[in-house]
């Protein structure tokens, strides 16, 4: 089937990257299979993460179908684009339909993109993983491909204004080796291995990242354990409790 929407959107995104003069460092794309189904699993620190996850798959000539919250599909601008690119809407009150849709796509040889943290991490550290990605891979008999993005939070993230200026911002992407999902293993154990793989890739991406805060007020995008001023998980929990 012709990709009448997805490929033009890719071209538009690449043009924007050039306009913004982003310094994108992507390694490990060869770990995404050139054919057949796979579940691409990433950390989540920005509203734009899915764009960069998809970018990592292009060298393998793959288009990723992302699972995203249903409200995005109702938006007058993003809705037609998301549907045209065949992404998968997720209604959190009726997740079975999205699961079945994703499973059918995997069995037909598609790559499905999943953010197992479910929401953006405002601490910019890895949150707990939901087991849906592992169960999808098990049921479809496909591999899980872990990946990590870093620097995307400086463009657009929760609680901070968008920054689409020509600031030469770096974005680092690392894709790891597949994590197998045998049907005879507990999905929770597979999920733990998957999270460990994403955590390791995130640390690799952070070490490789060339950007540094310009001054103390610019350290908001660094997690506390790396010397930044992003809120810790404990601080976020305390804020939610009030």
């Amino acid at each position: 089937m012709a990709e009448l929407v997805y490929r033009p959107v890719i071209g538009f995104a690449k043009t924007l990257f050039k306009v913004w003069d982003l310094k994108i460092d992507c390694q490990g794309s060869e770990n995404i299979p050139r054919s057949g189904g796979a579940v691409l699993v990433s950390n989540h620190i920005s509203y734009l993460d899915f764009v960069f996850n998809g970018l990592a798959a292009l060298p393998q000539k793959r288009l990723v179908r992302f699972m995203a919250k249903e409200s995005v599909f109702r938006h007058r601008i993003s809705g037609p684009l998301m549907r045209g690119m065949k992404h998968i809407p997720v209604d959190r009150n009726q997740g079975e339909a999205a699961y079945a849709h994703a499973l059918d796509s995997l069995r037909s040889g598609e790559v499905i993109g999943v953010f197992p943290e479910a929401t953006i991490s405002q601490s910019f550290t890895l949150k707990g993983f939901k087991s849906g990605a592992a169960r999808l891979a098990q049921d479809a008999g496909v591999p899980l491909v872990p990946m990590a993005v870093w620097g995307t939070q400086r463009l657009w993230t929760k609680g901070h204004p968008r920054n689409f200026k020509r600031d030469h911002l770096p974005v680092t992407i690392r894709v790891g080796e597949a994590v197998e999902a045998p049907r005879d293993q507990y999905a929770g154990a597979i999920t733990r291995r998957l999270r460990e793989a994403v955590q390791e890739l995130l640390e690799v991406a952070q070490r490789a990242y060339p950007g540094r805060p310009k001054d103390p007020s610019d350290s908001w995008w660094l997690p506390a354990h790396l010397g930044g001023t992003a809120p810790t998980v404990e601080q976020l929990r305390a804020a939610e409790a009030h």
Side-chain angles (χ1 to χ4, degrees), residues 117-177:
E117 296 170 277
T119 57
I120 287 174
S121 170
Q122 292 180 270
S123 68
F124 308 131
T125 60
L126 210 57
K127 297 164 68 175
F129 276 22
K130 298 187 181 300
S131 63
R135 290 187 288 109
L136 271 174
Q138 284 182 302
D139 288 347
V142 302
L144 295 150
V145 180
M147 69 175 296
V149 292
W150 190 246
T152 57
Q153 73 273 36
R154 300 178 73 185
L155 293 167
W156 189 15
T157 193
K158 192 173 183 179
H160 294 274
R162 287 172 290 187
N163 177 17
F164 295 158
K165 300 173 188 172
R166 191 179 168 86
D167 280 351
H168 322 292
L169 293 179
V171 172
T172 302
I173 306 167
R174 293 292 181 268
V175 185
E177 294 182 0

Side-chain angles (χ1 to χ4, degrees), residues 54-132:
L55 184 70
L58 292 183
Q60 296 294 83
K61 299 184 174 13
R62 304 305 304 271
L63 299 177
V64 184
R65 316 297 177 183
F66 288 95
M67 301 185 76
K69 61 184 180 180
E70 194 261 345
S71 60
V72 178
F73 291 78
R74 292 199 305 267
H75 190 276
R76 63 187 181 84
I77 296 174
S78 64
L81 291 174
M82 295 293 281
R83 290 189 293 273
M85 289 186 280
K86 307 185 189 72
H87 296 313
I88 300 171
V90 179
D91 182 341
R92 287 176 184 162
N93 296 319
Q94 297 177 314
E96 300 86 359
Y99 189 92
H101 185 168
L103 191 56
D104 285 344
S105 297
L106 287 168
R107 286 172 172 164
S108 67
E110 297 274 16
V111 177
I112 299 299
V114 176
F115 296 107
E117 296 170 277
T119 57
I120 287 174
S121 170
Q122 292 180 270
S123 68
F124 308 131
T125 60
L126 210 57
K127 297 164 68 175
F129 276 22
K130 298 187 181 300
S131 63

